[in-house]
C-alpha cells in the first residue's frame, strides 16, 4: 500500500491496483518453465557432460566462462522464485527485473545474429522467424509483470492461467524448434553428408519421405558441398534394406557407388549417431551435413552434440506435405523429450 495526505493529522492508505490475473498467470507459467528448464540443464550438465541444452534458446557465449553459467543460474532461480512467490520486496523485484532484462538482451542479440546470417546468405529458411524471437517475447511478458509495481494477482484465474501456460510450454517449445530450427538450412562445404533412413516398401521402392531425403542429399553432393554420402537406416518392409534402396536411388541420380557408405544398423536416431561417429573418424570428416525432415532435425542436432560432434542440418526438400505429418510431429515431441531426459536416468 501507498500512503498520501488526507485531512490534517491523518494518513490514508491507498492500495496498489492488482495486475491482470490472466497476464500475471501467463507470466508466472512462462517463468516457471523457462527458469525450471534452464536450471535443469545446468544441474544435468553436472551429472552428464553434454546435457546442457540452454544454447538452444539463450546463447550467452559472448560472456566469459564461468560467468555465462552464473548469470543463467541466477536468472533461472529468480524466475522460479517469481513464479512460485510473486509477492516481492522492492530489492527482489529490481533484481528479478534486471536479470530478466539481461536475458531479453541476450535473446535480442541472438535474433540480430540470425538475421545477419540470413542477409549474408549463410543460412536459408522458409520460416524466417528465429526461435530466439519466441523466447524473447516470452521473457518480455515475464519482465512486464515481474518488474511491475502493481500488486500480484491472486485467485483461480491467475492460478489457472499459470498452470495452462506451463502445461502448454512442453508442447509449444518443441513445435517452435521444429519450424524455426528445423526449417532452417545450414548447408555449407563439408566432408560428408549423413542421411537418416525412412520407410522402404516391400517391393524395394523408397517412401516419399525417404526419396525426398536422398534426393536432397544428392543435390548437395552434386553441388560439390561434400565428397561422401553416408546412408543410415534399418530393414525395409520387404527384402530390400532401407540403405540399399537409398544407394540405388542415389546412383540413378548420378552419385558414384564409391562415394557411398552404408550403415545398415541405423534402427533409430541414437543408433545412427553411434554408428556413424566411427565412420566419420575413418573418413577424417570434421564438418558434417545431416539430412532429414525438418521435424526430426532438432533431435538429430541434440543427439550428435551430446556425442561430441557438431553437425549442420539441412531439411529435406519435400515433394509434397506428408499425409501423416501431424502424427509424425506429435510423435517427435515425445521423442525429443525422451531423448533429452534419458541421460538423467542412467
Amino acid at each position: 500500500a501507498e500512503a498520501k495526505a488526507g485531512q490534517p493529522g491523518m494518513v490514508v492508505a491507498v492500495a496498489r491496483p492488482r495486475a491482470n490475473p490472466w497476464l500475471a498467470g501467463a507470466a508466472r507459467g512462462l517463468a516457471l518453465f523457462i527458469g525450471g528448464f534452464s536450471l535443469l540443464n545446468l544441474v544435468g550438465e553436472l551429472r552428464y557432460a553434454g546435457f546442457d541444452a540452454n544454447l538452444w534458446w539463450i546463447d550467452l557465449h559472448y560472456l566469459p566462462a564461468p560467468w555465462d553459467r552464473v548469470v543463467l543460474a541466477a536468472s533461472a532461480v529468480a524466475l522460479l522464485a517469481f513464479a512460485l512467490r510473486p509477492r516481492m520486496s522492492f530489492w527482489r523485484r529490481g533484481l528479478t527485473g534486471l536479470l530478466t532484462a539481461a536475458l531479453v538482451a541476450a535473446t535480442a542479440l541472438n535474433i540480430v545474429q540470425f538475421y545477419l546470417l540470413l542477409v549474408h546468405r549463410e543460412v536459408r529458411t522458409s520460416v524466417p522467424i528465429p526461435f530466439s524471437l519466441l523466447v524473447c517475447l516470452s521473457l518480455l511478458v515475464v519482465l512486464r509483470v515481474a518488474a511491475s509495481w502493481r500488486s500480484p494477482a491472486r485467485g483461480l484465474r491467475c492460478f489457472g492461467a499459470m498452470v495452462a501456460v506451463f502445461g502448454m510450454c512442453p508442447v509449444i517449445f518443441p513445435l517452435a524448434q521444429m519450424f524455426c530450427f528445423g526449417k532452417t538450412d545450414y548447408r555449407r562445404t563439408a566432408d560428408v553428408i549423413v542421411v537418416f533412413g525412412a520407410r522402404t516398401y516391400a517391393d524395394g521402392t523408397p517412401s516419399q519421405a525417404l526419396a525426398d531425403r536422398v534426393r536432397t542429399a544428392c543435390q548437395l553432393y552434386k553441388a560439390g558441398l561434400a565428397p561422401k554420402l553416408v546412408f543410415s537406416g534399418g530393414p525395409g518392409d520387404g527384402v530390400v534394406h532401407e540403405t540399399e534402396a537409398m544407394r540405388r536411388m542415389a546412383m540413378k541420380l548420378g552419385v558414384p557407388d564409391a562415394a557411398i557408405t552404408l550403415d545398415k544398423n541405423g534402427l533409430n536416431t541414437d543408433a545412427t549417431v553411434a554408428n556413424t561417429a566411427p565412420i566419420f573418424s575413418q573418413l577424417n570428416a570434421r564438418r558434417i551435413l545431416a539430412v532429414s525432415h525438418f521435424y526430426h532435425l532438432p533431435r538429430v542436432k541434440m543427439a550428435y552434440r551430446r556425442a561430441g560432434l557438431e553437425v549442420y542440418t539441412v531439411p529435406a526438400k519435400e515433394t509434397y506435405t506428408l499425409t501423416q505429418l501431424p502424427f509424425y510431429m506429435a510423435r517427435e515431441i515425445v521423442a525429443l523429450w525422451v531423448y533429452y531426459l534419458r541421460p538423467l536416468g542412467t
Side-chain angles (χ1 to χ4, degrees):
E2 294 180 343
K4 70 175 184 178
Q7 296 179 358
M10 297 182 60
V11 174
V12 180
V14 179
R16 290 182 292 162
R18 288 197 179 277
N20 181 290
W22 299 111
L23 180 63
R28 290 172 61 190
L30 289 168
L32 185 60
F33 180 77
I34 295 174
F37 185 66
S38 299
L39 196 60
L40 178 62
N41 277 297
L42 295 173
V43 174
E45 183 72 14
L46 300 176
R47 177 182 175 90
Y48 183 89
F51 182 85
D52 189 359
N54 280 316
L55 187 67
W56 283 85
W57 60 356
I58 302 174
D59 185 358
L60 296 175
H61 73 277
Y62 52 85
L63 291 179
W67 289 108
D68 55 344
R69 293 174 181 264
V70 171
V71 170
L72 194 54
S75 302
V77 171
L79 289 172
L80 285 173
F82 160 68
L84 299 175
R85 298 197 62 179
R87 184 176 293 278
M88 298 183 286
S89 66
F90 173 81
W91 294 109
R92 187 181 144 209
R93 183 166 67 247
L95 180 61
T96 301
L98 180 63
L99 290 170
T100 306
L103 296 186
V104 169
T107 54
L109 182 59
N110 299 158
I111 294 167
V112 172
Q113 291 172 333
F114 173 83
Y115 284 114
L116 286 175
L117 291 173
L118 209 57
V119 168
H120 291 101
R121 300 184 182 278
E122 294 185 42
V123 300
R124 58 186 77 178
T125 181
S126 59
V127 181
I129 301 173
F131 185 66
S132 300
L133 176 60
L134 304 179
V135 179
C136 185
L137 293 175
S138 299
L139 288 168
L140 283 172
V141 172
V142 175
L143 180 61
R144 178 180 175 183
V145 176
S148 173
W149 62 277
R150 290 174 176 268
S151 182
R154 298 177 180 175
L156 289 177
R157 287 183 296 174
C158 180
F159 180 76
M162 181 181 74
V163 171
V165 169
F166 178 75
M168 289 188 295
C169 282
V171 175
I172 293 174
F173 275 72
L175 283 175
Q177 277 282 16
M178 292 178 204
F179 282 103
C180 297
F181 172 79
K183 289 278 190 177
T184 302
D185 187 333
Y186 293 91
R187 68 177 65 191
R188 61 202 61 207
T189 303
D191 301 309
V192 66
I193 302 165
V194 58
V195 187
F196 286 73
R199 185 180 184 185
T200 296
Y201 298 120
D203 63 356
T205 303
S207 63
Q208 191 60 55
L210 185 58
D212 286 343
R213 295 178 187 186
V214 173
R215 188 178 298 107
T216 299
C218 291
Q219 290 170 351
L220 296 173
Y221 172 85
K222 295 174 78 172
L225 292 180
K228 294 287 185 179
L229 291 172
V230 175
F231 293 138
S232 180
D237 290 353
V239 296
V240 179
H241 199 274
E242 286 178 6
T243 56
E244 184 57 37
M246 296 163 82
R247 179 189 358 219
R248 292 177 184 178
M249 181 178 176
M251 292 178 67
K252 288 181 180 179
L253 292 172
V255 178
D257 189 41
I260 299 172
T261 300
L262 303 184
D263 163 33
K264 293 193 174 185
N265 295 310
L267 303 178
N268 53 46
T269 304
D270 264 352
T272 293
V273 171
N275 296 340
T276 56
I279 295 175
F280 298 153
S281 181
Q282 292 170 7
L283 296 174
N284 197 28
R286 299 183 182 278
R287 181 173 286 189
I288 302 147
L289 299 181
V291 177
S292 190
H293 275 70
F294 74 94
Y295 55 83
H296 184 212
L297 290 178
R299 184 156 55 102
V300 168
K301 180 77 170 181
M302 179 175 67
Y304 270 118
R305 179 172 285 167
R306 285 184 171 175
L309 295 168
E310 191 66 33
V311 301
Y312 298 92
T313 55
V314 179
K317 185 177 181 181
E318 300 174 44
T319 305
Y320 57 81
T321 302
L322 300 175
T323 55
Q324 291 186 289
L325 183 60
F327 168 74
Y328 295 147
M329 294 182 69
R331 183 180 63 182
E332 192 60 33
I333 291 172
V334 177
L336 192 58
W337 282 114
V338 169
Y339 269 57
Y340 167 73
L341 294 169
R342 187 166 51 194
L344 296 180
T346 58

